[in-house]
Amino acid sequence: MGEIIDDIAGFATAVAPMQALVGLDLGTKTIGVAVSDRLLGSATPLETIKRSKFTQDVAALMAIMKEREIGGIVLGLPRNMDGSEGPRAQSTRAFARNLTRLTELPITFWDERLSTVAAEKALLEADTTRKRRAEVIDHVAAAYILQGALDRLRHLRLG
């Protein structure tokens, strides 16, 4: 059974060395997926999974995690701008709890408040068409979430 580790430093010690991480941006209709390299230096947007039933969503995630030899999961936690947690954050925590029953991997959360805004800005700056932005926004947001966690992990290793 997997474990939810709220503390990023604790999560860092739970992840096996030289294994990549997966970052997830959970939406009501989609799950944005990003992956890191094995050195935990950079996050890359991978794909967006259209949500259906939990078991199907997790099966798609498990296939990605197995193929990429993932060592840990970073879930974007959608806090309100004042830092409080509303229904979306509670839904994300419930998803994590259900996921712990199906994987041994450690799971942590990363504040995702501005990830979609940052992803949208980057895509606009890249002059991406509206249609293309809609197709990629979720996994680009997942990469922002994962990159934030990776930067914090790197700071902890160097600190």
Side-chain angles (χ1 to χ4, degrees):
M1 199 159 132
E3 181 182 8
I4 296 172
I5 306 169
D6 274 314
D7 172 48
I8 194 84
F11 176 76
T13 61
V15 175
M18 297 302 291
Q19 285 202 305
L21 299 178
V22 66
L24 304 177
D25 180 26
L26 290 180
T28 53
K29 295 180 181 155
T30 60
I31 301 173
V33 182
V35 294
S36 77
D37 59 298
R38 290 178 180 276
L39 296 176
L40 306 182
S42 62
T44 304
L46 187 63
E47 67 180 84
T48 297
I49 297 169
K50 293 238 182 282
R51 291 190 78 167
S52 55
K53 292 184 177 139
F54 177 79
T55 50
Q56 290 171 305
D57 298 345
V58 171
L61 284 172
M62 294 297 203
I64 291 167
M65 293 188 301
K66 183 176 180 189
E67 177 188 334
R68 305 246 171 198
E69 298 178 359
I70 297 298
I73 302 166
V74 177
L75 273 172
L77 189 64
R79 294 181 187 273
N80 296 321
M81 287 314 277
D82 66 2
S84 64
E85 293 186 13
R88 285 191 58 231
Q90 292 165 3
S91 173
T92 298
R93 287 189 182 278
F95 183 92
R97 281 191 303 274
N98 290 332
L99 196 53
T100 61
R101 297 185 189 110
L102 303 171
T103 181
E104 296 289 318
L105 297 177
I107 300 170
T108 196
F109 299 104
W110 190 255
D111 187 343
E112 71 160 49
R113 276 180 273 193
L114 299 175
S115 61
T116 303
V117 173
E120 183 81 21
K121 184 173 186 253
L123 291 169
L124 283 169
E125 287 173 359
D127 205 23
T128 312
T129 65
R130 177 177 280 131
K131 180 180 186 298
R132 184 69 181 139
R133 279 197 311 271
E135 291 168 357
V136 302
I137 189 72
D138 296 314
H139 55 275
V140 172
Y144 272 89
I145 290 163
L146 183 55
Q147 191 63 54
L150 293 174
D151 292 347
R152 182 71 182 123
L153 290 169
R154 184 168 45 256
H155 178 76
L156 288 170
R157 285 196 306 260
L158 299 175

